Amino acid sequence: MSENYMQNKQGTALYYSVKEQILNRIEQGIYPIGGKLPSESDLCTEFEVSRTTVRLALQQLEQEGRIYKMQGKGTFVSQPKIQETITQTINTFSEQMKSIGLQAHSEVLSLEMIPATLSLANFLDIKPNEPIIELIRLRFAEQKPYQHSTSYVPWKVAPHLIHDDCSGSLFELLKTKYHLKILKSVESIEPIIPDSNISNLLGIPENTASFRSESITYTTDKVPIEYSSTIVRGDFAKFVTERYYHF
């Protein structure tokens, strides 16, 4: 029987045991964040297993975003993922990052007026070809590209938005300058593979699994005032939801 299916004394698959030992070394700082892991042959010697077992352990760690490979340079320990908590409270991007101890800023890539497509008109409850403002931003966490965000706002609810500084919180701007009373956002999250342009902007290899968050934001009068589509790099993020049970 090949070593792939061998088990240790506790009945755990051997590659899983190796994986857990590598994780322990990462958490203890023996293999520091950003540091290079020992070579496959060195890991084989250290854990007294075959190269196949080591490769299976490394493959799982890479899939989970705990390590990453650089062609010709070796395997390195990844930065811990940003943990975003999904709650019933709407927080700005900066507030979300600040709550987990990270500095954040946004860079405006594009700000222009366009006619609403049929799908955007449906999202925003307006007529097709009505003017809307398209805002595209790249958001950074600790100086590292983290999100690619595209927002669409009907021109009639914020007619001067195209001339505003939109590098900060869009919701704060809509609330303070345009006196819009925001009630809620309805959001969905799904896994995607970003296109090559967005992958380049986020600084991730092509075909990196990521998340797409889509949301529609409403005023207290139940008027949709923003539709957004945000790509979040999957190697740098995970989402946690908090739920309460009532008996």
Side-chain angles (χ1 to χ4, degrees), residues 108 110-116 120 124 126 130-136 150-164 166 170 173-174 178 225-228:
V108 176
S110 175
L111 179 61
E112 60 181 333
M113 191 182 305
I114 63 170
L120 289 173
L124 294 169
I126 59 177
E130 271 195 42
I132 58 175
I133 296 170
E134 179 189 66
L135 169 62
I136 303 176
T150 304
S151 296
Y152 298 94
V153 178
W155 174 83
K156 62 185 178 184
V157 304
H160 302 292
L161 186 64
I162 197 167
H163 303 298
D164 291 327
C166 294
L170 177 60
L173 187 58
L174 293 175
Y178 297 98
I225 57 167
E226 186 231 19
Y227 164 76
S228 72

Side-chain angles (χ1 to χ4, degrees), residues 169-182:
S169 168
L170 177 60
F171 285 177
E172 280 298 315
L173 187 58
L174 293 175
K175 183 175 70 173
T176 56
K177 181 171 181 177
Y178 297 98
H179 309 294
L180 295 172
K181 297 179 180 179
I182 298 173

Side-chain angles (χ1 to χ4, degrees), residues 64-181:
E64 294 171 7
R66 301 304 300 266
I67 63 174
Y68 62 95
K69 293 181 179 179
M70 295 182 68
Q71 189 68 32
K73 294 185 177 180
T75 303
F76 299 82
V77 180
S78 300
Q79 180 78 22
K81 290 189 175 185
I82 292 175
Q83 179 173 302
E84 290 196 47
T85 302
I86 301 172
T87 67
Q88 292 186 331
T89 303
I90 298 176
N91 292 316
T92 68
F93 175 67
S94 294
E95 288 171 341
Q96 289 175 334
M97 295 300 101
K98 185 177 180 180
S99 69
I100 54 178
L102 300 178
Q103 292 186 337
H105 73 277
S106 297
E107 176 184 321
V108 176
L109 302 180
S110 175
L111 179 61
E112 60 181 333
M113 191 182 305
I114 63 170
T117 62
L118 180 60
S119 61
L120 289 173
N122 287 333
F123 288 137
L124 294 169
D125 195 21
I126 59 177
K127 295 178 180 179
N129 295 318
E130 271 195 42
I132 58 175
I133 296 170
E134 179 189 66
L135 169 62
I136 303 176
R137 291 174 291 179
L138 191 61
R139 290 168 162 171
F140 295 79
E142 296 292 296
Q143 306 302 316
K144 189 172 185 177
Y146 177 51
Q147 297 181 357
H148 181 280
S149 177
T150 304
S151 296
Y152 298 94
V153 178
W155 174 83
K156 62 185 178 184
V157 304
H160 302 292
L161 186 64
I162 197 167
H163 303 298
D164 291 327
D165 178 5
C166 294
S167 59
S169 168
L170 177 60
F171 285 177
E172 280 298 315
L173 187 58
L174 293 175
K175 183 175 70 173
T176 56
K177 181 171 181 177
Y178 297 98
H179 309 294
L180 295 172
K181 297 179 180 179

Side-chain angles (χ1 to χ4, degrees), residues 31-91:
Y31 302 153
I33 294 169
K36 185 178 179 180
L37 286 181
S39 67
E40 287 185 2
S41 60
D42 287 342
L43 290 172
C44 290
T45 300
E46 182 176 352
F47 297 116
E48 299 182 343
V49 296
S50 72
R51 190 178 291 267
T52 300
T53 297
V54 166
R55 284 179 177 172
L56 283 170
L58 294 178
Q59 283 172 8
Q60 282 214 344
L61 288 169
E62 186 176 18
Q63 289 170 359
E64 294 171 7
R66 301 304 300 266
I67 63 174
Y68 62 95
K69 293 181 179 179
M70 295 182 68
Q71 189 68 32
K73 294 185 177 180
T75 303
F76 299 82
V77 180
S78 300
Q79 180 78 22
K81 290 189 175 185
I82 292 175
Q83 179 173 302
E84 290 196 47
T85 302
I86 301 172
T87 67
Q88 292 186 331
T89 303
I90 298 176
N91 292 316

